[in-house]
Amino acid sequence: MQSPETAEAMLQLAAAAAVSKGGEDLVALNVSEPLPLVDIFLLVTGNSERNVAAIADEIEDRLIEAGHKRVRREGRAEARWVLLDFGDLIVHVFHQEERVYYGLERLWKDCPVVPIDLPEPEPVAGE
């Protein structure tokens, strides 16, 4: 099992990757108390199947490039809810409708939120 610090570093890397591909409404939950084999769930929303797939692919690519091993991936073909399991970090990339329908935030509402440190967006030229 990895350290909580490693899980948080993975979270920050995954969150930055998600945002770079248009991921929205990012929420990270510390689920280590009810799920001793996992530290953090990262929930991300995409606005179309294509966007969900792009977000999931970018997260997976960046974590693998950083030396983290993917344990499993589910849902990539449909791209409505893609689950990326990296051991202590599990990423759920949802289409908007699935995120509302499944309501993982409600299911895990007693788990503490983990802060996500995202870089400030680059200013657009001419603004």
Side-chain angles (χ1 to χ4, degrees), residues 49-61:
E49 288 89 350
R50 189 174 187 166
N51 186 224
V52 168
I55 293 165
D57 290 349
E58 185 69 12
I59 292 169
E60 186 173 23
D61 290 348

Side-chain angles (χ1 to χ4, degrees), residues 90-125:
I90 296 181
V91 181
H92 301 268
V93 185
F94 291 98
H95 189 281
Q96 294 166 334
E97 295 164 3
E98 272 67 14
R99 179 138 180 201
V100 171
Y101 180 79
Y102 289 103
L104 291 189
E105 288 96 334
R106 289 188 311 273
L107 183 64
W108 300 101
K109 68 180 185 268
D110 294 334
C111 295
V113 173
V114 179
I116 299 172
D117 300 320
L118 294 173
E120 291 297 318
E122 298 282 329
V124 177

Side-chain angles (χ1 to χ4, degrees), residues 34-109:
L35 298 174
L37 298 178
V38 178
D39 282 337
I40 299 172
F41 276 0
L42 173 60
L43 312 178
V44 182
T45 300
N47 57 30
S48 68
E49 288 89 350
R50 189 174 187 166
N51 186 224
V52 168
I55 293 165
D57 290 349
E58 185 69 12
I59 292 169
E60 186 173 23
D61 290 348
R62 288 207 200 168
L63 287 172
I64 289 171
E65 284 174 12
H68 302 290
K69 183 177 185 264
R70 187 191 78 218
V71 177
R72 86 174 180 236
R73 174 182 62 193
E74 296 180 14
R76 175 61 176 81
E78 299 82 16
R80 300 288 296 180
W81 175 2
V82 179
L83 180 141
L84 300 171
D85 181 349
F86 278 88
D88 289 342
L89 173 68
I90 296 181
V91 181
H92 301 268
V93 185
F94 291 98
H95 189 281
Q96 294 166 334
E97 295 164 3
E98 272 67 14
R99 179 138 180 201
V100 171
Y101 180 79
Y102 289 103
L104 291 189
E105 288 96 334
R106 289 188 311 273
L107 183 64
W108 300 101
K109 68 180 185 268

